[in-house]
Amino acid sequence: MGMGKTCNLMLIAKTLKNMGYVVYYFPMASQMRGEFRHYLIESMASNPNQLFAVILDEISPNYDHSDLALLLRGNYKNLVLIGAAVPREAVIGVTAKFYTYMGLSDIALRESDSDFLHLVERFSDDNPILVSKISRYILKQCGGHLFPTLSFIEFFLSAPERRRQFDTFESFFNYFNGAEFVQTKQFQEVVRRCFIESNSTNHVSNVLSGVGTPDDFNALRRIGWWDSVSNQFISAFIKNLCLIYATPTISESKIYFVPGKPEENTILAITEGLRLMQARDFQSLSSNHMPIENALSYKWAFYVSQKISNSSLRCQEASERVGYVDFHLNGFANSAIEFIRNATKARSVKSRQSTDINGHLERFSSGQYHWKRFFIFNFAMIGSAPVLPDDEAYHDRIFTYVHSSNILYRGKDVFLMPAVSDLPCPLMQNMPVEM
């Protein structure tokens, strides 16, 4: 929803009409009945030199497609038939009978698209650099998903009072990723228009947690949130929405970040999110659907969002320079948190799932990532001690959860024991009891 399918079809219809086609448009394919099919076939037979086009705005899997299928199989030389459907990559059923299809990558908005560049230019009268940064940031967050991208750009850049309010990228960034923006009419309209589906957040949560079933993936493909070509969600925005709208699961009372204490707030999020993780969260390690590091870090983020009322986490946050950090914690902390699973000191092939602790640190220390306040969180699912970078000056930026002992370390020092309340802590169990 909200990918611009109807707009595209209307533009195509206008173009075809200007080219001399006789164009028939149906808001839903179910409205095209047998009577129309017979009429169309007779019209094409009696006017062999006339070009015809049938445009179907919604091809639902829930009705009899026999008339549509007969048209598709007819191989009529003077007929063009165009339909819009989700899932767009279906390989069975009526959609498979179309000659070709345009996928998500074909219709998503890109930075290099001329219409996007013209849009940026339209708002760039007084501060082109800032307008460009804001527009491109929104585009990346929304994955080029048309309605959210354009709606948010309009919200931040079309009104003069907001242009004055968000006169720096930092002020825009903090508001866009804060709790207040979520409550605005514009944000709620985007959610209502494009995202709210029955059980959708549960399907997203299962996939991100590493326990997604074929039913979860099929449900996400059906509503167009999962791109089978890239094998990932169509945008970071969808994953972040799941953290915002996830059904509360903890019975504990909520707590709050304290304004003016960003480092303390970050450490509170690290410890509280880990403390609330459940034993089952560490039992999905055989999942082949999502990288295990992502599954563990998502469950941590889920519990942070549940426990800390004024927290706001954004996953796969784009750096101002290059690359993406795993999570950014909102303005009360303004911290980047990078996750590793089973960190090593071995230089490995550079990838998003690299385990090299020095390589992860260098992304921050070299300036590749622009954040000055950051922490690296290592889920040590094997081994019994922290793996730390060579540069000791950054050891206090490294948190290590050692699963075998259920201890959280900061640097080389024990920081929290037990780290996960739902799991045993062997060291504490062996301690003598004072009488």
Side-chain angles (χ1 to χ4, degrees):
M1 296 184 293
M3 275 306 301
K5 297 185 295 296
T6 299
C7 291
N8 267 323
L9 292 178
M10 296 304 290
L11 290 170
I12 290 170
K14 181 179 179 180
T15 302
L16 290 174
K17 188 174 180 179
N18 291 338
M19 293 169 62
Y21 282 75
V22 174
V23 180
Y24 298 96
Y25 174 85
F26 292 91
M28 297 186 67
S30 58
Q31 295 177 352
M32 187 187 73
R33 301 298 184 182
E35 296 83 357
F36 171 78
R37 179 173 60 84
H38 292 303
Y39 164 77
L40 179 63
I41 292 173
E42 291 176 0
S43 298
M44 290 189 295
S46 59
N47 298 280
N49 295 322
Q50 175 63 55
L51 298 173
F52 295 83
V54 176
I55 295 180
L56 310 170
D57 202 353
E58 190 68 50
I59 301 177
S60 166
N62 298 322
Y63 78 100
D64 181 7
H65 284 90
S66 55
D67 289 303
L68 173 57
L70 287 170
L71 281 179
L72 286 167
R73 290 174 174 174
N75 193 28
Y76 301 105
K77 301 300 183 182
N78 55 339
L79 173 66
V80 170
L81 200 154
I82 301 171
V86 177
R88 78 275 180 272
E89 83 286 358
V91 294
I92 60 174
V94 68
T95 54
K97 300 179 181 71
F98 281 84
Y99 179 74
T100 188
Y101 69 83
M102 295 173 63
L104 179 70
S105 60
D106 299 303
I107 58 178
L109 202 60
R110 300 182 181 89
E111 282 190 47
S112 58
D113 288 344
S114 59
D115 44 3
F116 176 74
L117 295 174
H118 290 156
L119 178 69
V120 174
E121 184 180 358
R122 163 69 177 78
F123 294 115
S124 296
D125 50 353
D126 54 347
N127 195 337
I129 295 177
L130 178 61
V131 167
S132 178
K133 288 181 68 174
I134 289 176
S135 301
R136 283 171 168 77
Y137 177 85
I138 291 173
L139 178 72
K140 288 180 180 179
Q141 279 292 300
C142 298
H145 191 166
L146 204 65
F147 188 88
T149 301
L150 298 183
S151 182
F152 291 151
I153 288 176
E154 178 189 38
F155 177 82
F156 284 100
L157 298 179
S158 65
E161 62 272 15
R162 291 199 190 92
R163 294 286 291 271
R164 290 190 294 268
Q165 179 184 358
F166 306 113
D167 58 352
T168 65
F169 184 81
E170 184 178 7
S171 62
F172 153 77
F173 181 88
N174 289 336
Y175 186 83
F176 186 89
N177 292 299
E180 186 178 349
F181 182 45
V182 175
Q183 306 303 320
T184 62
K185 180 180 178 180
Q186 197 88 0
F187 190 97
Q188 295 295 326
E189 172 63 14
V190 167
V191 173
R192 184 200 64 78
R193 172 68 177 80
C194 300
F195 297 109
I196 290 299
E197 287 274 339
S198 177
N199 284 330
S200 57
T201 55
N202 291 334
H203 294 306
V204 174
S205 183
N206 288 341
V207 171
L208 289 173
S209 300
V211 295
T213 66
D215 287 342
D216 291 312
F217 284 92
N218 288 335
L220 294 174
R221 290 188 190 99
R222 180 183 61 79
I223 57 178
W225 293 7
W226 183 264
D227 186 353
S228 298
V229 177
S230 62
N231 203 35
Q232 60 185 354
F233 287 97
I234 65 171
S235 72
F237 188 67
I238 286 176
K239 294 184 282 187
N240 292 329
L241 277 179
C242 185
L243 290 174
I244 295 170
Y245 289 101
T247 304
T249 59
I250 63 173
S251 57
E252 296 186 9
S253 59
K254 293 202 171 188
I255 59 176
Y256 297 86
F257 285 144
V258 177
K261 296 187 176 182
E263 182 149 331
E264 292 88 338
N265 290 335
T266 307
I267 294 172
L268 177 66
I270 289 173
T271 55
E272 283 298 296
L274 181 61
R275 182 181 67 83
L276 290 168
M277 291 181 73
Q278 303 294 302
R280 63 178 178 270
D281 299 331
F282 299 92
Q283 295 171 356
S284 60
L285 304 185
S286 61
S287 169
N288 294 319
H289 296 305
M290 293 288 288
I292 299 304
E293 171 201 311
N294 289 1
L296 293 169
S297 62
Y298 169 76
K299 291 304 295 189
W300 167 85
F302 175 85
Y303 291 116
V304 172
S305 298
Q306 296 289 300
K307 179 65 176 177
I308 306 176
S309 288
N310 56 350
S311 66
S312 179
L313 281 159
R314 297 294 180 262
C315 61
Q316 288 299 297
E317 185 63 50
S319 171
E320 291 180 10
R321 299 186 178 97
V322 64
Y324 295 81
V325 74
D326 288 324
F327 281 94
H328 178 266
L329 198 53
N330 67 341
F332 290 102
N334 197 20
S335 299
I337 305 178
E338 184 79 350
F339 283 86
I340 313 178
R341 174 176 172 263
N342 298 331
T344 66
K345 283 190 177 183
R347 293 283 180 176
S348 57
V349 176
K350 289 187 177 180
S351 71
R352 292 180 61 235
Q353 297 301 317
S354 168
T355 61
D356 176 26
I357 188 73
N358 286 308
H360 276 266
L361 176 60
E362 284 176 10
R363 297 174 190 174
F364 295 98
S365 61
S366 67
Q368 176 182 338
Y369 289 169
H370 70 271
W371 293 279
K372 301 300 182 184
R373 185 179 301 106
F374 67 88
F375 291 92
I376 296 175
F377 191 127
N378 173 31
F379 280 102
M381 306 306 297
I382 58 176
S384 58
V387 174
L388 299 174
D390 295 332
D391 192 338
E392 295 184 3
Y394 290 100
H395 281 191
D396 67 338
R397 297 284 166 185
I398 313 299
F399 280 87
T400 306
Y401 166 67
V402 177
H403 187 59
S404 61
S405 60
N406 193 15
I407 294 175
L408 178 68
Y409 292 84
R410 184 177 187 181
K412 62 182 179 181
D413 299 323
V414 173
F415 191 79
L416 183 64
M417 182 177 65
V420 179
S421 297
D422 196 43
L423 293 174
C425 184
L427 186 59
M428 291 187 68
Q429 291 176 343
N430 296 330
M431 287 182 176
V433 179
E434 293 185 6
M435 302 298 292

